[in-house]
Amino acid sequence: MSESKTPVDFWFDPLCPWAWMTSRWMLEVEKVRPVEVRWHVMSLAVLNEPKLDELPERYRELLGPKGWRPVRVVTAARELHGDEVVGKLYTALGTRIHNKEEGATLEAIAGALADVGLPADLIEYADKDTYDAEVRASHKEGIDKVGQEVGTPVIAVPGADGEQIAFFGPVVTPAPKGDEAARLWDGTLLVASIPGFYEIKRTRTQGPIFD
């Protein structure tokens, strides 16, 4: 990483459309501010394990064994091919899962691997627990920074004393571009610079807009 660029840590689950929106914003921020994103997985399946039986059936299906597949494949790719593949693979997965509405199917995951030139046999890790410990460790790292009762995404940015401050969000749709992306980033750094700042929130009135 260039010393002149500000590191931003970003935790995502490819299943989450809101994390996808925020991640596209962060890619815009990289174009307009001296920022470099470091990508990490977190898992909605892990997050919801304690209350899985209480969730509606459609969420139980999504966050059960099938919910592990994307993060397992991303983690296997990272372990076997390095950190630099994580962001590229996330972009390929998110494009297929969300923009193209293919869902988190094995076919979509296999297609994403092909899109970024990763070995096809990484799909074999989708239903294997080989790297589950690494998934859980990455998830825990993000949650430990931001606290409980949050979801994905989690971002960690520089605070007032140079130490990272983590937030859930920002939740935004569609993903801001250009000057808008820059202003939202500047505002994120501003609130992170206030030691006692914790939360701003309002009810969402529209779903994610994939463009």
Side-chain angles (χ1 to χ4, degrees):
M1 175 174 294
S2 169
E3 293 182 1
S4 63
K5 291 190 175 182
T6 300
V8 180
D9 289 288
F10 190 109
W11 281 264
F12 66 91
D13 186 322
L15 293 175
C16 179
W18 295 105
W20 178 242
M21 292 284 90
T22 308
S23 72
R24 300 310 91 183
W25 162 65
M26 280 308 313
L27 291 184
E28 283 291 314
V29 173
E30 284 188 321
K31 298 175 184 178
V32 295
R33 291 290 185 268
V35 166
E36 189 167 353
V37 182
R38 302 184 295 204
W39 303 97
H40 313 271
V41 297
M42 62 184 296
S43 169
L44 291 172
V46 172
L47 185 69
N48 287 281
E49 272 182 332
K51 54 186 178 184
L52 189 60
D53 292 340
E54 304 169 11
L55 297 176
E57 183 176 352
R58 65 190 181 97
Y59 287 114
R60 290 200 302 272
E61 182 178 358
L62 179 66
L63 301 177
K66 292 180 180 178
W68 279 86
R69 287 173 170 172
V71 291
R72 279 174 167 169
V73 172
V74 173
T75 301
R78 176 184 178 276
E79 292 296 316
L80 298 173
H81 299 280
D83 288 335
E84 64 273 11
V85 305
V86 175
K88 296 176 183 178
L89 182 53
Y90 178 33
T91 288
L93 282 166
T95 299
R96 286 180 173 270
I97 291 171
H98 303 297
N99 293 61
K100 296 184 178 180
E101 299 183 346
E102 295 179 17
T105 63
L106 288 174
E107 292 77 11
I109 297 170
L113 291 170
D115 291 341
V116 295
L118 284 167
D121 60 5
L122 284 170
I123 195 66
E124 297 174 8
Y125 291 95
D127 291 311
K128 292 181 178 179
D129 63 1
T130 308
Y131 296 113
D132 282 9
E134 286 78 7
V135 172
R136 291 181 181 276
S138 180
H139 176 90
K140 183 177 186 298
E141 182 185 12
I143 290 296
D144 283 352
K145 285 180 177 291
V146 74
Q148 301 299 316
E149 300 303 321
V150 300
T152 172
V154 168
I155 64 169
V157 304
D161 57 2
E163 294 293 321
Q164 280 193 325
I165 300 294
F167 296 110
F168 162 61
V171 175
V172 60
T173 189
K177 295 179 173 62
D179 289 342
E180 269 195 346
R183 290 199 303 272
L184 180 55
W185 170 251
D186 294 343
T188 301
L189 290 184
L190 175 61
V191 297
S193 73
I194 308 301
F197 176 83
Y198 292 101
E199 183 176 7
I200 292 177
K201 190 171 182 178
R202 64 173 178 160
T203 300
R204 294 194 294 265
T205 58
Q206 61 180 338
I209 300 170
F210 307 122
D211 55 5

